Amino acid sequence: MKFSALLIFTVTYTTYALVPPTGTNTDDVLVKRQYDPVCTCTSGSTTYTIAPPTSSSTALTSSTPLTSSTPTTGTPPVTTPTTSPPQNDCTAIPKATFLLRAYNKNVKDLYYTANATQMASAVANNGYVEGPHMGRVYTTQEAGTVPLYRLYNASAKDHFYTTSTAQRDNAVAAHGYTSQGIAAYIYTTQICGSIPLYRLYSAEDIDHFYTIHQGEVDNDVPGRGYADQGIAGYVLPLQ
Ligand SMILES: *[C@@H]1O[C@H](CO)[C@@H](O)[C@H](O)[C@H]1NC(C)=O
Ligand SMILES: *[C@@H]1O[C@H](CO)[C@@H](O)[C@H](O)[C@H]1NC(C)=O
């Protein structure tokens, strides 16, 4: 399925590049396309028709953002790092791999993983369309990095990512999320030439959104109802 994932990825990029849906955002994916009734877009000799969203994207009434960091009494999974490597040791950089991102417009959910097999499965089986990479991260714990935990709320159809064990545990205890382990390892401070991975949240869509692009933060906060929730961590730039 690698070929078709690549094809979707390529077509997606081409379409976005040619048709910024609102005319204001030039670097992405997410803009307001899922709200558009129908978009007929052309690329070379090919015409794409982007269908309107299915009406099954259920409006969920709960909109509690995951900003609470109240520790819970539950027993968190054991994720203790075995070593405490020194800060500013950047020798692991050659091992970094892309943080992949995909979006499912029908359920309004962004999915992130550093595992290409998982991404291929999400694209092939779960209705996700791959978008731009969100910097480079590690698949093993390296100097200065911590786990970026992934959680999922099956009712809200939302993937949530955090480096905070308190937020992770609170999401499980109080917000119906299930822990899905570790998506990647990222920096907690801006070392080794890393850049911020911003976190935003839409209460309306019940969707957590992560990006390395300030342009997406600036556009999506006012444009699509996402609230800026600060910096989730630091990742290496694309190159
Ligand atoms: C990637 O994900 C697949 C499927 O979940 C898993 O079997 C595999 O071990 C993962 N690879 C790495 C390097 O974690
Ligand atoms: C997550 O799912 C539960 C049901 O399992 C729901 O009650 C809750 O509101 C959802 N959380 C969020 C943040 O929407």
Side-chain angles (χ1 to χ4, degrees):
M1 299 310 293
K2 273 199 170 121
F3 175 73
S4 66
L6 178 62
L7 182 62
I8 290 164
F9 177 73
T10 304
V11 169
T12 303
Y13 257 119
T14 306
T15 306
Y16 296 151
L18 291 175
V19 192
T22 64
T24 55
N25 187 351
T26 56
D27 66 15
D28 212 303
V29 188
L30 291 164
V31 210
K32 297 184 70 173
R33 175 157 295 141
Q34 72 271 27
Y35 299 123
D36 295 343
V38 171
C39 167
T40 301
C41 319
T42 56
S43 169
S45 57
T46 311
T47 299
Y48 307 97
T49 299
I50 294 171
T54 64
S55 55
S56 63
S57 45
T58 324
L60 295 165
T61 51
S62 170
S63 60
T64 314
L66 288 162
T67 48
S68 165
S69 59
T70 313
T72 68
T73 54
T75 310
V78 177
T79 53
T80 316
T82 50
T83 57
S84 300
Q87 291 283 310
N88 297 317
D89 172 355
C90 302
T91 53
I93 287 178
K95 293 194 215 170
T97 180
F98 290 125
L99 180 61
L100 310 173
R101 178 170 95 177
Y103 186 60
N104 182 329
K105 69 181 166 73
N106 293 324
V107 298
K108 294 177 179 167
D109 180 46
L110 283 147
Y111 177 67
Y112 299 79
T113 180
N115 182 319
T117 305
Q118 291 183 0
M119 178 53 77
S121 174
V123 169
N125 307 319
N126 299 112
Y128 289 82
V129 175
E130 195 169 356
H133 304 332
M134 287 297 125
R136 289 175 298 143
V137 298
Y138 300 101
T139 56
T140 50
Q141 187 155 33
E142 304 296 341
T145 69
V146 296
L148 179 66
Y149 299 105
R150 180 169 74 216
L151 299 105
Y152 184 62
N153 186 319
S155 317
K157 299 216 168 33
D158 178 46
H159 285 94
F160 169 57
Y161 298 78
T162 182
T163 59
S164 160
T165 54
Q167 289 185 6
R168 176 198 64 189
D169 297 343
N170 185 56
V172 171
H175 297 282
Y177 284 76
T178 302
S179 189
Q180 290 193 336
I182 296 168
Y185 294 87
I186 66 175
Y187 295 110
T188 52
T189 54
Q190 196 159 15
I191 59 172
C192 301
S194 60
I195 57 174
L197 180 67
Y198 300 103
R199 170 173 137 192
L200 299 92
Y201 179 71
S202 167
E204 183 189 339
D205 291 354
I206 310 185
D207 184 41
H208 285 87
F209 179 120
Y210 300 80
T211 182
I212 55 172
H213 298 304
Q214 186 70 51
E216 286 193 324
V217 176
D218 294 343
N219 186 70
D220 285 299
V221 167
R224 293 189 58 225
Y226 281 84
D228 190 346
Q229 291 194 329
I231 293 170
Y234 297 87
V235 299
L236 294 170
L238 289 171
Q239 55 187 351

